[in-house]
Amino acid sequence: MAYFGISSNLVLYLTKKLHQGTVTSANNVTNWVGTVYLTPILGAYVADAHLGRYWTFVIASVIYLSGMSLLTLAVSVPGLRPPHCSNPDTANCKKASTLQLAVLYSALYTLAIGTGGTKPNISTIGADQFDDFEPKEKAHKLSFFNWWMFSIFFGTLFAFTFLVYIQDNLGWTLGYGLPTVGLAISILIFLAGTPFYRHRVPSGSPFTRMARVIVAALRKWRVPIPNDPKELFELDLEEYTKKGKFRIDSTPTLRFLNKASVKTGSTSPWMLCSTTQVEETKQILRMIPILVATFVPSTMVAQINTLFVKQGTTLDRNVGSFKIPPASLATFVTLTMLVCIVIYDRYFVRAVRRWTKNPRGISLLQRMGIGLSIHIVIMLVASLTERHRLSVAKSHGLVENGGQVPLSIFILLPQFVLMGVADAFLEVAKIEFFYDQAPESMKSLGTSYATTTLGMGNFISSFLLSTVARVTKEHGHHGWILNKLNASHLDYYYAFFSVLNFFNLIFFLVVAKSYVYKAEVSDSMEVLRKGLGGGGQKI
């Protein structure tokens, strides 16, 4: 709730209160959101290597709360923002000073550091509470991420409705103060459950372990790999058992890395690595092409809180005497996702697994593929809707004066609803896939992949927005993206996104076809599969 209460309406705060232009404000939002979703890599490293997931989450929560408190202060003190300006063209308004921007951005990026420790660890802590060796608990774990995302987006529903309304109508102090208090309460609730949690101890730096494998393989690039995997170096099973870890057998994928386990006489950790260490590195590296394939749809998600909201400001937002905040349309993303998650988990999975014999219904990559396909449709619908909006604006002479277009804001509803459907498939499958396919000792790092895609998507959005805005104005052309949206051509921009999504789907299908799922650490999935009368379906 706290994060979405800020991100959903931040572009309007930057525009209305700090008097930033369309491209500048949108890029500042996406750059900040991108940072929020990239810092979890650092948080995952600290958790897996040093502090463990629990303490990393607790310390990061305090930093998160500090950032929220400073942000509330920044929007509350009149001297920390420029004077009010009623001119519809922000270029003619006084800009925020360096000090005012410094305070605001310090708060936002302190908050980003805090989320770096909370996002990759809280869901991982939740999933860790299930025992993979107990079939009943494993069955519940298969639904965990569906209901985890349900709870997350239930909180965003409050942010997109009540908080956005409060920010637009009752003031930013109350609008940011409420999620700050809510965050403090949630931290206290989490701490109250401490005695009941299953805790996982840190197992050393995942980056160092992977680096050793890559360096050892490169240093022994001329050394032949034995045909018998048993000739490769491996620790005794007892070494793993006493550390609560699992031994992994050698696999033929990314075979070059097996050279790191070939015995050559040296016992240096940068010359000789165990087979399990090599396989852990493979598991992380194998997910990278899938990770890259999720960057483009994450770029589409970035439009919800930027250009989609800016479109809403140009439309008729009145429903009787009530005026709908533009950012509240994101509520329909959340509502649709909540409904779709329930339908998917309670009905779709139960119906489909009768034929697939897969306890999940369909594989995680198949679920992601459906979400990627829907993103093509979303941007096509958005492009056609924007074309209609621009034609009405032109017919009413509203192109240059930037007046309100006589169309209901609800014409944007289809693109928001479809985004919710896509999220129910892609976003849930994404976080479960990266958690499930990561090595047992690198779960936080694997989970951080899911947020990394959103971070990269926001930075790509900033790059594309700036580049397209600049390139389309060259050689005297009008330009696709201007401060006055009625004079812009977002319909072209969205059509470009649709084409980009199509080629990204092709790339995903290629890498997904060659992806090899990791072996289960227990036989719980096989027990569940046999209960459905199935064989070796991919999960």
Side-chain angles (χ1 to χ4, degrees), residues 32 35-37 39-40 63-64 67 106-117:
W32 172 68
T35 305
V36 165
Y37 283 115
T39 51
I63 298 173
Y64 195 163
S106 294
L108 289 173
Y109 284 91
T110 298
L111 191 155
I113 295 171
T115 59

Side-chain angles (χ1 to χ4, degrees), residues 166-404:
I166 290 171
Q167 290 163 5
D168 279 6
N169 296 279
L170 301 179
W172 295 91
T173 300
L174 184 60
Y176 281 178
L178 284 177
T180 301
V181 173
L183 176 62
I185 294 173
S186 67
I187 294 172
L188 293 175
I189 293 173
F190 174 82
L191 293 174
T194 299
F196 307 102
Y197 301 143
R198 288 172 175 167
H199 298 273
R200 300 290 178 92
V201 297
S203 55
S205 169
F207 298 116
T208 301
R209 296 205 302 276
M210 290 189 292
R212 285 172 175 171
V213 170
I214 295 171
V215 169
L218 290 172
R219 293 174 72 178
K220 294 186 285 187
W221 67 279
R222 289 185 176 180
V223 177
I225 301 173
N227 294 325
D228 186 357
K230 293 181 180 179
E231 295 182 28
L232 298 174
F233 173 69
E234 181 57 288
L235 300 174
D236 293 333
L237 183 60
E238 290 76 15
E239 290 289 325
Y240 295 104
T241 303
K242 67 183 181 181
K243 293 179 181 178
K245 298 178 64 177
F246 304 98
R247 191 166 70 179
I248 308 174
D249 294 332
S250 180
T251 62
T253 59
L254 298 175
R255 194 166 182 268
F256 175 80
L257 294 179
N258 288 351
K259 291 178 180 289
S261 297
V262 177
K263 302 170 186 176
T264 58
S266 174
T267 58
S268 166
W270 294 93
M271 277 293 289
L272 184 65
C273 303
S274 68
T275 297
T276 294
Q277 188 177 342
V278 171
E279 292 303 316
E280 287 177 339
T281 303
K282 288 182 182 181
Q283 288 170 4
I284 290 292
L285 294 180
R286 277 203 303 262
M287 293 191 292
I288 291 179
I290 303 296
L291 173 73
V292 173
T294 60
F295 288 168
V296 171
S298 294
T299 304
M300 305 306 108
V301 173
Q303 310 314 307
I304 296 174
N305 296 327
T306 52
L307 294 182
F308 284 10
V309 172
K310 293 291 288 183
Q311 281 179 282
T313 61
T314 68
L315 298 167
D316 180 10
R317 299 184 279 133
N318 294 305
V319 178
S321 59
F322 181 74
K323 196 167 188 177
I324 301 172
S328 286
L329 279 188
T331 302
F332 292 97
V333 177
T334 304
L335 283 173
T336 306
M337 185 179 184
L338 293 177
V339 172
C340 287
I341 286 176
V342 174
I343 294 173
Y344 184 91
D345 190 80
R346 292 304 182 191
Y347 301 102
F348 179 81
V349 171
R350 293 181 182 182
V352 172
R353 67 187 179 190
R354 296 175 185 174
W355 287 277
T356 63
K357 309 305 178 187
N358 186 330
R360 284 192 171 96
I362 57 177
S363 72
L364 293 173
L365 290 178
Q366 288 170 339
R367 185 174 181 179
M368 291 170 68
I370 294 172
L372 289 170
S373 302
I374 296 173
H375 272 285
I376 300 173
V377 180
I378 292 170
M379 300 320 294
L380 276 175
V381 170
S383 178
L384 294 173
T385 301
E386 177 64 6
R387 177 168 293 188
H388 175 57
R389 191 191 69 82
L390 290 175
S391 67
V392 174
K394 185 177 181 180
S395 65
H396 286 77
L398 301 172
V399 173
E400 292 302 326
N401 64 19
Q404 185 183 86

Side-chain angles (χ1 to χ4, degrees), residues 130-149:
F130 300 92
D131 187 352
D132 283 335
F133 290 88
E134 173 55 51
K136 285 186 178 180
E137 289 197 31
K138 182 67 175 181
H140 290 308
K141 189 174 183 177
L142 296 182
S143 292
F144 169 75
F145 285 102
N146 285 329
W147 297 105
W148 168 257
M149 293 298 286

